[in-house]
Amino acid sequence: MLFNSYEFIFIFFPIVFVGFIVIGKYDHRYAVPWLAIASLFFYGWWNPVFLFLLLGSICFNFFAGALIYKYSAQSKVLLTGAVISNLLLLGLYKYLNFFINTIDALGGKVPNLDIILPLGISFFTFTQIAYLVDVYKGIVKEYSFFDYLLFVTWFPHLIAGPVLHHKQMMPQFSSPTLYKPQPDSISLGVTLFSMGLFKKVILADSFAPLANRVFDGAAHGDLPMLEKAWFGVL
C-alpha cells in the first residue's frame, strides 16, 4: 500500500486515525494494540506471507531483549547471539544470491534461489539490533509486547525508514496527552503529509519518466554519455 494511493489516503488512514481517537478516548490501553494491528495490516497488504517473517523477528528480539535484561551476567553472550541471528536473517534474504553469483563468476555452478526480498527488512532488523544494544547497556526499561510491536511495525517508517530509536518513540506511549486530539499536532502532521504528497505526486512522478529513459537504457547496454548520465541523475 503506497502512501499516495487512494486506498491509503481515503480508507486506511482515516479508519486508523478515527479508531485511535475513539479507542484512546475510552481506554488508551487498547490504542497502542490498535495501531500495532493496523501497522501489521499495512505491511501485509503487499504480501501477507512476510507477516510471519516480521512477527517471527519481533518475537525473537523481544524475548532476546527480555533475557538480556534479566540475565545481565550473561548479557554479552546473549547479545552477540541475538545480533548474529539478526544479521544471518538479513544476509539470507539480501546477499545469498549475490554470493551465489560470485561463486558462479569464479567457475562454480550453483543455481540462484527464488528469494523475494521482504519489504523493509533492513529497517526492522537494524531497529531491533539497536534496541538490543541499548538493553545490554541498561538504557532500556521494560516495555509491554504491544509497545515493542508498535515500535518496530509503526507503518509510517516500517517500509521506508528511517531507523527509529526507542527513546524517540516508546516513552510517548505512557503519556496521557498522546491519546487526546491535539489540533497543533494534527495540523502539523497534515502539513508535512501534504508537502510529501506534493513532492511525490507532482515532482517525483513527473520527472520519473525522464530519468527512467536514461537508467532503462543503461540497463539494456546503452551506456549514456556524460551529459545524458548527469541529466538522468539530476
Side-chain angles (χ1 to χ4, degrees):
M1 188 185 308
L2 299 175
F3 294 125
N4 62 320
S5 65
Y6 293 129
E7 294 90 348
F8 178 85
I9 296 174
F10 297 112
I11 300 176
F12 176 80
F13 184 75
I15 292 175
V16 173
F17 179 73
V18 173
F20 175 77
I21 296 299
V22 172
I23 294 172
K25 179 180 179 180
Y26 288 97
D27 194 337
H28 66 79
R29 291 177 300 174
Y30 299 106
V32 167
W34 164 256
L35 290 182
I37 293 171
S39 296
L40 291 174
F41 177 85
F42 175 86
Y43 186 80
W45 181 266
W46 174 61
N47 192 337
V49 173
F50 288 130
L51 276 175
F52 296 101
L53 174 68
L54 176 62
L55 287 172
S57 175
I58 289 171
C59 290
F60 171 81
N61 284 289
F62 177 76
F63 289 110
L67 290 175
I68 293 171
Y69 183 85
K70 183 177 181 180
Y71 300 105
S72 56
Q74 295 84 26
S75 58
K76 190 171 185 178
V77 175
L78 294 171
L79 173 66
T80 302
V83 171
I84 291 175
S85 299
N86 278 283
L87 293 178
L88 285 175
L89 178 67
L90 181 63
L92 172 66
Y93 281 96
K94 293 200 73 170
Y95 302 112
L96 184 58
N97 275 334
F98 169 76
F99 289 121
I100 290 175
N101 291 333
T102 302
I103 294 173
D104 290 344
L106 297 175
K109 294 183 179 179
V110 182
N112 274 2
L113 301 178
D114 186 18
I115 297 177
I116 300 175
L117 185 65
L119 286 172
I121 186 171
S122 296
F123 294 117
F124 68 71
T125 299
F126 286 115
T127 293
Q128 295 184 98
I129 289 177
Y131 174 84
L132 293 176
V133 171
D134 281 347
V135 174
Y136 169 74
K137 292 180 177 179
I139 299 174
V140 179
K141 300 178 181 179
E142 288 188 287
Y143 291 102
S144 72
F145 177 74
F146 276 110
D147 284 356
Y148 182 77
L149 178 64
L150 179 58
F151 161 63
V152 178
T153 63
W154 180 224
F155 67 87
H157 87 97
L158 178 57
I159 62 174
V163 174
L164 290 181
H165 196 278
H166 74 94
K167 290 192 297 185
Q168 296 173 298
M169 186 173 181
M170 295 181 77
Q172 298 182 50
F173 299 156
S174 59
S175 174
T177 58
L178 177 70
Y179 306 97
K180 299 177 182 179
Q182 301 177 55
D184 290 343
S185 296
I186 293 174
S187 62
L188 177 60
V190 171
T191 300
L192 291 174
F193 182 81
S194 300
M195 292 169 61
L197 189 64
F198 173 83
K199 289 191 287 184
K200 165 61 179 168
V201 176
I202 304 301
L203 298 181
D205 289 353
S206 297
F207 287 117
L210 300 175
N212 288 341
R213 292 180 188 175
V214 178
F215 292 108
D216 290 344
H220 291 86
D222 179 20
L223 298 181
M225 299 298 290
L226 178 64
E227 297 83 0
K228 188 177 180 181
W230 270 109
F231 174 80
V233 171
L234 293 175

